[in-house]
Amino acid sequence: MTSAESGAGLLAPGWAGSPAASATSDSAYLRALLDAEAALTRAQAGLGLVPEEAATAVTAAARSGRFDVRDIALRARDGGNPVIPLVADLTKAAGQEYGPYVHRGATSQDILDTATMLVAARTLDLLLADLERTQEALARLAARHRDTVLPGRTLTQHAVPTTFGLKAAGWRSLVLDARDRLRAVRHGLPAQLGGAVGTLAAFTAYGAEDPTALVAAYARELGLRAPELPWHTLRTPIADLAGALAFAAGALGKTATDVLTLSRTEIAEVAEGAGGGSSAMPHKANPVRATLIAAAAQRAPQLAATLYGSLAAEDERPAGAWHAEWEPLRDLLRLVGGAAHDAVQLAECLRVDADAMREHLGLTHGLIVSERLAARLAPVLGRARAKELLTEAARRTRAEGRTLAEILADHAELKDVDLDSLTDPVQYTGSAGALTDRALERS
């Protein structure tokens, strides 16, 4: 089996073929590992610790196409990580004269952690672009349906009316929350450089008077943040990334879950622009994008939990805790990157059936506005009498199939009350419009 075949995503339609799939592939990780090694040599050259020619030679040698990912993966079993065989290959590729400057002073975790931050940064850039497109589409949806009324549902049942504009504005608010959290994490991703136990001792041995200056130069070469301390067993960057990704999955999952509910055949208030087919039922148009996003939201918390568990890492370099991070973190990046990509299509192509929403407002024959009637009739009849009357009217509405307005019209004490207006669901959306407008002011 080739490396490409093993990472094709046959059982992962949520991220297969997405920008995140490419950005987190084995080839992408190899590219990041080589970038980290080359940047270290250039940073040392910039401070006069190695010859400029060495930086040029190592950078030229660090072309991912000349290295066999599969071979490195298999040889990684001997030392427990892919940096060890890669350093051997890169040293050979740099030549006899400059090979000794490869990886000088670093430990394997320095390179793999730094490469992970590069992969995360490159993936997050793609993911953030998709979140931006999603929030823009949801903003248009919310504005277009600012006053489109539909039943609000609580505990699966009709509650009081709301608007689809407010619902879409709520979806957008969560997407913006996810964007802001991921953006903050992206800007804070640090390089890793500490040497064997995080003391930078080897760099001093190689002539660095101020190894922290080397750390700063290394981070600049990579476009990452310079850390205050080596973070070999101080895994805040990983935990923050895990938390932001898991939140983003859940934020997108809220939209997907609502779409799945509202697109049920017996509800059909929304539909995906291009539903998926069925292998057995030609009539099906399944909400595939929402399904895949919901699946990502189901998996993300457990992956993040593994990464949080790795915070308890012993000593100055851990056995197992660090190694346990690699696959779940890549899975998280892939899952959320794929979900964000699917969310763009979901939001941009979502079809809204305002007529179905309006029709469903009448399913309870006016009972959906009983809250309003209770508030408005209490001053007229007294609170106790209003509650008694409405309770009985609700029972009769359900039993007789007549509207609440018709039942209430039987009561002479309400002859001066405009029951048609009071029982019109469209006229009972509270501040939904104003709330939608307020939400859309957020950039």
Side-chain angles (χ1 to χ4, degrees):
M1 180 185 294
T2 67
S3 177
E5 288 170 341
S6 65
L10 181 64
L11 299 182
W15 58 257
S18 70
S22 177
T24 58
S25 67
D26 281 355
S27 295
Y29 254 96
L30 176 61
R31 174 73 267 158
L33 290 166
L34 291 166
D35 288 344
E37 290 286 5
L40 178 58
T41 311
R42 291 197 303 273
Q44 290 177 315
L47 296 177
L49 301 175
V50 305
E52 287 287 349
E53 294 81 3
T56 301
V58 172
T59 299
R63 298 194 305 270
S64 57
R66 68 193 304 172
F67 300 93
D68 187 331
V69 177
R70 176 68 172 169
D71 180 62
I72 291 171
L74 293 175
R75 289 157 58 207
R77 290 181 57 81
D78 292 335
N81 75 74
V83 177
I84 297 171
L86 179 63
V87 167
D89 291 353
L90 181 58
T91 298
K92 181 177 180 180
Q96 185 174 356
E97 183 176 2
Y98 299 117
Y101 297 106
V102 171
H103 198 71
R104 195 158 100 157
T107 191
S108 295
Q109 190 170 352
D110 289 333
I111 300 304
L112 187 51
D113 278 349
T114 297
T116 296
M117 294 297 98
L118 287 174
V119 168
R122 292 163 183 174
T123 307
L124 289 182
D125 288 342
L126 299 169
L127 198 162
L128 285 165
D130 280 336
L131 290 181
E132 197 63 32
R133 284 184 61 188
T134 299
Q135 72 87 7
E136 290 171 355
L138 291 175
R140 293 192 296 270
L141 203 61
R144 188 180 313 128
H145 292 283
R146 178 188 185 275
D147 301 314
T148 300
V149 185
L150 79 162
R153 297 170 171 97
T154 63
L155 301 180
T156 75
Q157 305 297 297
H158 283 200
V160 298
T162 185
T163 67
F164 189 75
L166 184 58
K167 184 180 286 287
W171 296 343
R172 176 179 180 264
S173 179
L174 279 175
V175 171
L176 291 177
D177 289 344
R179 180 203 64 183
D180 292 348
R181 284 159 173 75
L182 286 170
R183 187 180 283 172
V185 168
R186 166 65 181 89
H187 291 160
L189 294 175
Q192 173 77 284
L193 195 61
V197 295
T199 63
L200 299 167
F203 300 108
T204 303
Y206 282 118
E209 295 181 3
D210 180 11
T212 60
L214 174 60
V215 176
Y218 182 50
R220 283 195 301 273
E221 285 285 340
L222 295 161
L224 297 172
R225 180 177 62 82
E228 293 180 4
L229 293 172
W231 45 280
H232 293 147
T233 51
L234 309 174
R235 307 306 282 175
T236 303
I238 300 295
D240 284 348
L241 181 57
L245 287 167
F247 178 86
L252 295 171
K254 162 59 176 170
T255 301
T257 301
D258 278 348
V259 168
L260 290 172
T261 298
L262 297 180
S263 62
R264 288 177 178 273
T265 304
E266 56 269 36
I267 298 177
E269 292 176 356
V270 303
E272 288 193 7
S278 164
S279 63
M281 296 167 284
H283 70 281
K284 294 292 292 293
N286 297 319
V288 175
R289 301 279 77 77
T291 296
L292 296 177
I293 295 169
Q298 290 284 323
R299 287 192 60 202
Q302 287 71 40
L303 293 168
T306 298
L307 297 170
Y308 280 121
S310 293
L311 283 166
E314 79 281 1
D315 301 327
E316 282 64 53
R317 298 274 306 288
W322 174 50
H323 307 73
E325 294 173 350
W326 307 341
E327 291 172 277
L329 181 56
R330 178 157 74 169
D331 283 348
L332 256 182
L333 288 166
R334 285 175 165 175
L335 275 175
V336 183
H341 199 57
D342 281 331
V344 174
Q345 183 178 350
L346 180 64
E348 290 183 344
C349 302
L350 192 68
R351 299 198 306 267
V352 178
D353 191 335
D355 292 336
M357 293 175 178
R358 182 67 181 88
E359 180 182 350
H360 293 160
L361 289 168
L363 287 177
T364 58
H365 305 293
L367 294 179
I368 196 169
V369 292
S370 63
E371 177 189 72
R372 182 189 195 190
L373 285 161
R376 295 295 293 273
L377 295 183
V380 178
L381 306 177
R383 184 174 180 181
R385 173 56 183 154
K387 181 178 180 181
E388 177 187 19
L389 186 149
L390 285 170
T391 300
E392 175 60 18
R395 185 194 65 77
R396 289 183 57 194
T397 296
R398 289 189 290 266
E400 300 173 18
R402 299 166 63 198
T403 68
L404 180 60
E406 291 170 344
I407 298 293
L408 292 176
D410 293 341
H411 296 270
E413 55 199 313
L414 299 179
K415 61 181 177 61
D416 295 326
V417 177
D418 185 356
L419 293 173
D420 288 336
S421 176
L422 282 178
T423 57
D424 181 2
V426 174
Q427 298 186 42
Y428 191 56
T429 59
S431 298
L435 290 170
T436 301
D437 294 341
R438 178 181 178 183
L440 292 179
E441 291 175 1
R442 180 180 174 186
S443 63

